[in-house]
Amino acid sequence: MKYLFALFCVCSIPVLAQQNAVQKGFAIPPDSTKLSMYWYWMSDNISEEGVKKDLASMAALGIGRAFIGNIGYNENEVPYGKVKLFSDEWWKITRTAIRTAGEKGIEIGLFNSPGWSQSGGPWIKPAASMRYLAGEEVTVKGPQQLSLALKEAGKDFQDVVVLAYPAPAEDLLVAANFKTGETFIDLELPQENTARSLILYMKGRFRAEAELQVKEGNSYRSITTFLVDRTNPSDNVGFRPFAPFSVSFAPVKGKSFRLLLKNNSKEGLTAVHLLKAPRIERYEEKQLSKMFQQPLPLWNEYQWPQHPTATDTVLTIPASQVKDITQYFGKDGILRWNVPAGNWIITRYGMLTTGVKNAPASKEGAGLEVDKINRVPMQYHYDAFVGKVRSSIPANERSSLKWVVADSYETGSQNWTDDMAQSFKEQYGYDPLPWLPVLSGRVVGSADQSDRFLWDLRRLVADRVAYEYVAGLRDISHKDGMRLWLENYGHWGFPSEFLKYGGQADEVGGEFWNEGTLGNIECRAASSAAHIYGKNRVAAESFTAGGQAYVRYPALLKKRGDWSFTEGINHTLLHVFIHQPYEDRNPGVNVGFGTEFNRKNTWFYQGRAFVDYLRRCNFILQQGKPVNDIAYFIGEDAPKMTGIRNPELPHGYSYDYINAEVILQRLSVKDGWFVLPDGVRYRLLVLPELETMRPELLKKLFALAKQGGVILGPAPKRSPSLQDFPRADAQIKKLADEMWKLPNVLTGKRMEEALSFVHLLPDVRGIKEQILYTHRTAKDADYYFLSNQSDTTVNFSPTFRMEGKQPELWDAVTGKIRDLPSFDLKFKGITVPLTLEAYESVFIVFRKPPVLPQTGRKNFPQPQTLQELKGPWQVKFDSTYTFNTLTDWSQHADERIKNFSGTAYYNTTFSATPGKERYYINLGPVMVMAKVKLNGKDLGTLWTAPWKIDVTEALKKGENKLEVEVVNTWVNGLIGDSKLPVKERKYRANVNPYKPESKYQSAGLLGPVKLESTPY
């Protein structure tokens, strides 16, 4: 027994040491938890002294990384300054910033090009830019000895191949023009014929809810309905802004057809063609020439129904008859070819630049975006900007330069590059060139085969964006000792697969806006990529926002920040610190986006308390591994920016998304759990409602199932790819028939049934819908983070999936820890009564043996009010005032107080007779932050509910002096300033929406202020 006790003690030493280190780090977050920050240098408004002061203020706030973005913005919002990008002064200031950051212990990252998106500049020529395939068709009749000049499809055309193929039978049934304002178009044929497709041509923005009908007798029957949308012509959502819109349908005979156009845009549509031959439905979208036009493409946006089968082969193109006649095409642009008998279509295919430029950038820094599917030009791009900055600074001054930054992808797609045909052959085992006529909507082989070719093209583009662009930039950065930080999604024209894309970065980041829905899919996208690719730290561009200048403050930010933690984020990057070059301007340089995390904002320095909160949360959420019980497979189709949860998880469980690459290369099964090499594990793998899967992946899933892994989802019916067609389809059918006979491969079941099958209880049972959570597990402890996302107090008693441990409450606002005396040890669970005030959050930690629950003691005893501190209060603004009662500054009769922005100093005295309890000053609601001192002792800053602070160590018998420094926002000061004549105004902000009639923001110490005791 002594031996066992001694062994227990020896083995416990490392565990106890680790627990003590975590506890210490929670109280005083280590340097490794310092936050990151976007540092925007706006529109040539920069100064050497300004960057020094910016960096000093960042260091004071607890910032460990600053990512410099040279942004050239709309001059109507941010007038341009005098220090032009790449001028001698710009180089000098950049060197100063990087040197000073090293002195302050701050790491610097450089956005890899001017602007925040994406990777380009004036050094990128068309031949190194993002490109797409284009070609103009010419029809010739043989036999003849042809000598014909073939036109280039556009400027800076780069030849790829010249193809010829037999012209399908004439298929245009009728063409009709659109007249402005029409709500329907009649398509009258000379005689009855069979229609199979419809194409709409546009020259401007157009949108309509469309329905194609055929006349049968005296009425019209619906053939198909569809939404045509060409309302976003930006080149970052497609290199053909008004690409034709194609619709395919099963053969329909008729003489009179009608196209209804409900809620249409009145103009933009030019012509409609009804065709006898099939066309590939949405062929422009399927080749990425027109992409999803809104910021949040959901899981199914690049999925289309299986194409109707064409039975009349005279209307299609046999792949075997597509001829490569490039050898007959001369450098003089003349095709000299002996044309066989019949009608032939000839196309000179080549690459054109998409024309997308890096943005938003000043004219000195703007240029074409570099090729995203070929790493060869990437070295040149890197050398022209990041490499040039690095090499311009002596080695002993650039120690801070650690990161290359790639923000969210916003530059659209491309579909070809220099070695594309060879890469295609290597990946899929067949030559893509005979299939290129599909890009004009024509059916090669069959409609199904043509769709499969387009699927392969999109998948290859997605893979190459990840491995040529992201991995290419990463590898180049590594050569210079730098690392790549990347956001793994894109709001405009994202062409890759978010998990594989993020997996190639050194550190992956998400994003969320403080208001609205942007971020709702991005944070889980980032955390899933990090978890499945073995990256512990998951960043997020945090508190991005639009409009409402200066209105935000930490209490308003907390809810969304806490939400991000429950999505898997564990490193906060603040958006945004706008560089402040002018000391004579307040509030200074600002923009119409972001939260003003800069040294000229009123609450910036008091915001250190908020930063400390974020750092504590980040620190704990980086411990151990995430506990996410379910892995949702996202499917193999691309592009892909998010996954889908179908069936949805019940509340109390969490999940990651997983992709084919990780399943194939990193996933195994152990003791019934799917496990990754880094220790992350899942109890259940869920397949989406798709009919397609490639054989290689299905073989791996079959192997995992045979090892005991439980899989929920439908059996695939075919491969989506043309690779190894049709044998691959037969393989899929054979494998699926065998695999879905296994008892642990489930289909047609609700999620609750599947969870019951694997005997998996919720990680947190009895948790209310307004409470979100996340869970990290380490060798020595389990850490649950719970956030009340509502504006009311919530009382609840969750049961944690833990056994034999003492629950503790770790308060990240204060850094304090206490045992929770009331809990119930259950079978496979510990029930803990909890109370969370509005938007409050806590960590519930299990790390030590339980102390027997103490009868009668509550986890959250009701505080006792000992006295209300009614004042009078001496309050110092620019002058000192006496407040007999606490008053909202915005309601004060004195205009100087009503229009005040900044810090005011309250003080009062009160008498107390402290005993042995814990004592608190409860300030009541504060607008917006308050630093508290009692008897000269600094007790900290209050910035969120419950607005009270522990004063036990400072409270004394007799008279006590309470001092409260209250800061509000710039809003009221800007409103008051707007009432003055222009020449008398003292404030200057280039984005200032405030006018005399604007609504004032509540401000000050609102009270009531109370002295309370709590029997903890």
Side-chain angles (χ1 to χ4, degrees), residues 597-613:
F597 292 106
N598 71 72
R599 62 188 171 89
K600 292 202 168 203
N601 200 355
T602 53
W603 51 260
F604 178 82
Y605 290 101
Q606 278 205 27
R608 173 63 190 252
F610 177 52
V611 168
D612 286 348
Y613 166 79

mmCIF file of all heavy atoms in Angstrom, residues 597-613:
data_model
loop_
_atom_site.group_PDB
_atom_site.id
_atom_site.type_symbol
_atom_site.label_atom_id
_atom_site.label_comp_id
_atom_site.label_asym_id
_atom_site.label_seq_id
_atom_site.Cartn_x
_atom_site.Cartn_y
_atom_site.Cartn_z
ATOM 1 N N PHE A 597 -10.607 49.635 -32.644
ATOM 2 C CA PHE A 597 -9.577 49.227 -31.678
ATOM 3 C C PHE A 597 -8.314 50.028 -31.952
ATOM 4 O O PHE A 597 -7.299 49.484 -32.417
ATOM 5 C CB PHE A 597 -9.287 47.735 -31.795
ATOM 6 C CG PHE A 597 -10.406 46.830 -31.359
ATOM 7 C CD1 PHE A 597 -11.166 46.148 -32.288
ATOM 8 C CD2 PHE A 597 -10.703 46.653 -30.011
ATOM 9 C CE1 PHE A 597 -12.189 45.300 -31.899
ATOM 10 C CE2 PHE A 597 -11.731 45.816 -29.609
ATOM 11 C CZ PHE A 597 -12.478 45.139 -30.556
ATOM 12 N N ASN A 598 -8.338 51.318 -31.683
ATOM 13 C CA ASN A 598 -7.127 52.113 -31.869
ATOM 14 C C ASN A 598 -6.941 53.065 -30.708
ATOM 15 O O ASN A 598 -7.873 53.346 -29.954
ATOM 16 C CB ASN A 598 -7.142 52.846 -33.211
ATOM 17 C CG ASN A 598 -8.138 53.980 -33.254
ATOM 18 O OD1 ASN A 598 -7.941 55.022 -32.629
ATOM 19 N ND2 ASN A 598 -9.244 53.792 -33.994
ATOM 20 N N ARG A 599 -5.743 53.564 -30.560
ATOM 21 C CA ARG A 599 -5.352 54.317 -29.374
ATOM 22 C C ARG A 599 -6.103 55.628 -29.207
ATOM 23 O O ARG A 599 -6.063 56.228 -28.121
ATOM 24 C CB ARG A 599 -3.845 54.582 -29.405
ATOM 25 C CG ARG A 599 -3.374 55.419 -30.597
ATOM 26 C CD ARG A 599 -1.844 55.485 -30.666
ATOM 27 N NE ARG A 599 -1.371 56.094 -31.889
ATOM 28 C CZ ARG A 599 -1.157 57.407 -32.042
ATOM 29 N NH1 ARG A 599 -1.398 58.231 -31.035
ATOM 30 N NH2 ARG A 599 -0.712 57.872 -33.179
ATOM 31 N N LYS A 600 -6.786 56.080 -30.224
ATOM 32 C CA LYS A 600 -7.531 57.328 -30.103
ATOM 33 C C LYS A 600 -8.992 57.102 -29.731
ATOM 34 O O LYS A 600 -9.728 58.074 -29.535
ATOM 35 C CB LYS A 600 -7.433 58.135 -31.401
ATOM 36 C CG LYS A 600 -6.012 58.657 -31.640
ATOM 37 C CD LYS A 600 -5.997 59.831 -32.566
ATOM 38 C CE LYS A 600 -4.620 60.496 -32.527
ATOM 39 N NZ LYS A 600 -4.697 61.905 -32.946
ATOM 40 N N ASN A 601 -9.396 55.837 -29.642
ATOM 41 C CA ASN A 601 -10.754 55.592 -29.168
ATOM 42 C C ASN A 601 -10.803 55.819 -27.665
ATOM 43 O O ASN A 601 -9.862 55.504 -26.935
ATOM 44 C CB ASN A 601 -11.195 54.168 -29.497
ATOM 45 C CG ASN A 601 -12.702 54.016 -29.482
ATOM 46 O OD1 ASN A 601 -13.436 54.940 -29.134
ATOM 47 N ND2 ASN A 601 -13.170 52.842 -29.846
ATOM 48 N N THR A 602 -11.917 56.351 -27.191
ATOM 49 C CA THR A 602 -12.022 56.770 -25.786
ATOM 50 C C THR A 602 -11.716 55.638 -24.803
ATOM 51 O O THR A 602 -11.066 55.845 -23.780
ATOM 52 C CB THR A 602 -13.445 57.297 -25.514
ATOM 53 O OG1 THR A 602 -14.387 56.305 -25.943
ATOM 54 C CG2 THR A 602 -13.700 58.595 -26.253
ATOM 55 N N TRP A 603 -12.215 54.421 -25.105
ATOM 56 C CA TRP A 603 -12.108 53.321 -24.138
ATOM 57 C C TRP A 603 -10.949 52.370 -24.425
ATOM 58 O O TRP A 603 -10.839 51.312 -23.809
ATOM 59 C CB TRP A 603 -13.422 52.539 -24.065
ATOM 60 C CG TRP A 603 -13.995 52.072 -25.381
ATOM 61 C CD1 TRP A 603 -14.997 52.665 -26.082
ATOM 62 C CD2 TRP A 603 -13.620 50.909 -26.132
ATOM 63 N NE1 TRP A 603 -15.280 51.948 -27.231
ATOM 64 C CE2 TRP A 603 -14.445 50.862 -27.277
ATOM 65 C CE3 TRP A 603 -12.671 49.901 -25.950
ATOM 66 C CZ2 TRP A 603 -14.356 49.848 -28.242
ATOM 67 C CZ3 TRP A 603 -12.568 48.894 -26.910
ATOM 68 C CH2 TRP A 603 -13.398 48.873 -28.036
ATOM 69 N N PHE A 604 -10.075 52.756 -25.341
ATOM 70 C CA PHE A 604 -9.021 51.838 -25.780
ATOM 71 C C PHE A 604 -8.195 51.294 -24.613
ATOM 72 O O PHE A 604 -8.003 50.073 -24.482
ATOM 73 C CB PHE A 604 -8.108 52.547 -26.783
ATOM 74 C CG PHE A 604 -6.956 51.698 -27.269
ATOM 75 C CD1 PHE A 604 -7.143 50.777 -28.284
ATOM 76 C CD2 PHE A 604 -5.689 51.829 -26.711
ATOM 77 C CE1 PHE A 604 -6.085 49.995 -28.744
ATOM 78 C CE2 PHE A 604 -4.630 51.060 -27.156
ATOM 79 C CZ PHE A 604 -4.831 50.142 -28.178
ATOM 80 N N TYR A 605 -7.712 52.154 -23.750
ATOM 81 C CA TYR A 605 -6.815 51.682 -22.686
ATOM 82 C C TYR A 605 -7.572 50.958 -21.580
ATOM 83 O O TYR A 605 -7.083 49.975 -21.029
ATOM 84 C CB TYR A 605 -5.981 52.846 -22.142
ATOM 85 C CG TYR A 605 -4.951 53.311 -23.148
ATOM 86 C CD1 TYR A 605 -5.157 54.452 -23.910
ATOM 87 C CD2 TYR A 605 -3.778 52.586 -23.361
ATOM 88 C CE1 TYR A 605 -4.222 54.879 -24.853
ATOM 89 C CE2 TYR A 605 -2.834 53.001 -24.296
ATOM 90 C CZ TYR A 605 -3.071 54.147 -25.041
ATOM 91 O OH TYR A 605 -2.150 54.551 -25.978
ATOM 92 N N GLN A 606 -8.773 51.429 -21.242
ATOM 93 C CA GLN A 606 -9.577 50.645 -20.304
ATOM 94 C C GLN A 606 -9.942 49.298 -20.904
ATOM 95 O O GLN A 606 -10.207 48.325 -20.192
ATOM 96 C CB GLN A 606 -10.851 51.407 -19.913
ATOM 97 C CG GLN A 606 -10.636 52.431 -18.810
ATOM 98 C CD GLN A 606 -11.911 52.734 -18.032
ATOM 99 O OE1 GLN A 606 -12.798 51.896 -17.948
ATOM 100 N NE2 GLN A 606 -11.971 53.925 -17.451
ATOM 101 N N GLY A 607 -9.934 49.217 -22.223
ATOM 102 C CA GLY A 607 -10.220 47.965 -22.905
ATOM 103 C C GLY A 607 -9.239 46.860 -22.598
ATOM 104 O O GLY A 607 -9.469 45.703 -22.992
ATOM 105 N N ARG A 608 -8.171 47.157 -21.888
ATOM 106 C CA ARG A 608 -7.228 46.111 -21.483
ATOM 107 C C ARG A 608 -7.956 45.011 -20.684
ATOM 108 O O ARG A 608 -7.615 43.823 -20.784
ATOM 109 C CB ARG A 608 -6.090 46.723 -20.643
ATOM 110 C CG ARG A 608 -5.114 45.712 -20.021
ATOM 111 C CD ARG A 608 -4.375 44.921 -21.093
ATOM 112 N NE ARG A 608 -3.610 43.802 -20.546
ATOM 113 C CZ ARG A 608 -2.281 43.769 -20.456
ATOM 114 N NH1 ARG A 608 -1.550 44.816 -20.848
ATOM 115 N NH2 ARG A 608 -1.672 42.714 -19.969
ATOM 116 N N ALA A 609 -8.966 45.395 -19.903
ATOM 117 C CA ALA A 609 -9.718 44.391 -19.129
ATOM 118 C C ALA A 609 -10.451 43.425 -20.060
ATOM 119 O O ALA A 609 -10.515 42.222 -19.797
ATOM 120 C CB ALA A 609 -10.709 45.081 -18.201
ATOM 121 N N PHE A 610 -11.005 43.948 -21.136
ATOM 122 C CA PHE A 610 -11.669 43.108 -22.132
ATOM 123 C C PHE A 610 -10.648 42.205 -22.821
ATOM 124 O O PHE A 610 -10.903 41.011 -23.037
ATOM 125 C CB PHE A 610 -12.372 44.010 -23.142
ATOM 126 C CG PHE A 610 -13.054 43.281 -24.270
ATOM 127 C CD1 PHE A 610 -13.949 42.257 -24.027
ATOM 128 C CD2 PHE A 610 -12.808 43.647 -25.588
ATOM 129 C CE1 PHE A 610 -14.595 41.594 -25.075
ATOM 130 C CE2 PHE A 610 -13.447 42.999 -26.636
ATOM 131 C CZ PHE A 610 -14.336 41.970 -26.376
ATOM 132 N N VAL A 611 -9.510 42.758 -23.162
ATOM 133 C CA VAL A 611 -8.438 41.962 -23.787
ATOM 134 C C VAL A 611 -7.986 40.853 -22.854
ATOM 135 O O VAL A 611 -7.771 39.707 -23.283
ATOM 136 C CB VAL A 611 -7.261 42.874 -24.194
ATOM 137 C CG1 VAL A 611 -6.028 42.054 -24.565
ATOM 138 C CG2 VAL A 611 -7.673 43.775 -25.356
ATOM 139 N N ASP A 612 -7.839 41.157 -21.573
ATOM 140 C CA ASP A 612 -7.445 40.124 -20.608
ATOM 141 C C ASP A 612 -8.481 39.003 -20.543
ATOM 142 O O ASP A 612 -8.135 37.825 -20.424
ATOM 143 C CB ASP A 612 -7.255 40.739 -19.220
ATOM 144 C CG ASP A 612 -5.968 41.545 -19.113
ATOM 145 O OD1 ASP A 612 -5.115 41.439 -20.019
ATOM 146 O OD2 ASP A 612 -5.822 42.300 -18.137
ATOM 147 N N TYR A 613 -9.753 39.371 -20.630
ATOM 148 C CA TYR A 613 -10.807 38.360 -20.665
ATOM 149 C C TYR A 613 -10.637 37.450 -21.883
ATOM 150 O O TYR A 613 -10.690 36.218 -21.767
ATOM 151 C CB TYR A 613 -12.179 39.042 -20.703
ATOM 152 C CG TYR A 613 -13.304 38.108 -21.067
ATOM 153 C CD1 TYR A 613 -13.839 37.236 -20.125
ATOM 154 C CD2 TYR A 613 -13.836 38.077 -22.360
ATOM 155 C CE1 TYR A 613 -14.875 36.364 -20.452
ATOM 156 C CE2 TYR A 613 -14.865 37.219 -22.699
ATOM 157 C CZ TYR A 613 -15.372 36.361 -21.746
ATOM 158 O OH TYR A 613 -16.380 35.489 -22.076
#
